[in-house]
Amino acid sequence: MILVSACLLGHRTRYDGGSNDIALLMEQANHTQFITFCPEIMGGLPTPRPAAEITSGSGDDVLIGQSTVLDKNGKDVTSFFICGAEKSAQLTEKYNITAAILKQRSPSCGSLKIYDGTFSHRTKPGMGVTAAMLHKLGIPLYSEEDITPEQLQKLLK
Ligand code: SF4
């Protein structure tokens, strides 16, 4: 089974109440191999919600207590992000997850780059909190920016 960021499949789970529809993935939206998830919602945050970014380092640093996640109003939302990552980890066991397709740049789902903590749309290399958790568990990570139709077909076999 494959975990997929809900916003990539048309679910309006983004902080601003929108989605990030990706045609390649939406064509397979009802595939029985897909498990749709949104770590920020699972962690207890509402939609819409203020944008949030990892303040320094990356998701790994948040998981070991060396960094925090703040929303645009300065509220510390770290515990929600960690809770979402932990619940995502539980899903991997429950559904025998073998890969995850995650929204790039998100402070939860980014797998190669994340926003840099300044709320200025600049990114830096690093993983979001949930991506870091899944990576630690050995789950191969893909994003909507790099997955090819061939890779997707292979994952869905
Ligand atoms: S936490 Fe992940 S799935 Fe949820 S809206 Fe953000 S990028 Fe999408």
Side-chain angles (χ1 to χ4, degrees), residues 66-128:
Q66 299 288 319
S67 184
T68 55
V69 187
L70 296 184
D71 75 16
K72 210 170 179 178
N73 301 325
K75 183 181 169 196
D76 189 330
V77 289
T78 308
S79 61
F80 296 97
F81 277 68
I82 291 178
C83 177
E86 287 171 346
K87 287 190 174 170
S88 302
Q90 289 165 10
L91 288 181
T92 65
E93 208 169 308
K94 184 172 179 188
Y95 292 106
N96 192 23
I97 297 297
T98 54
I101 305 171
L102 305 175
K103 172 77 182 75
Q104 202 61 280
R105 298 186 297 276
S106 153
S108 288
C109 294
S111 54
L112 288 177
K113 51 190 168 181
I114 50 176
Y115 289 113
D116 72 355
T118 62
F119 295 96
S120 55
H121 300 290
R122 283 197 298 265
T123 59
K124 62 182 178 183
M127 288 187 182

Side-chain angles (χ1 to χ4, degrees), residues 4-8 11-15 18 20 37-41 47 49 81 102-104 106-110:
V4 187
S5 295
C7 57
L8 299 178
H11 296 262
R12 301 172 69 85
T13 52
R14 272 173 48 137
Y15 73 95
N20 297 297
F37 84 131
C38 173
E40 291 175 25
I41 303 295
T47 299
R49 55 191 174 278
F81 277 68
L102 305 175
K103 172 77 182 75
Q104 202 61 280
S106 153
S108 288
C109 294

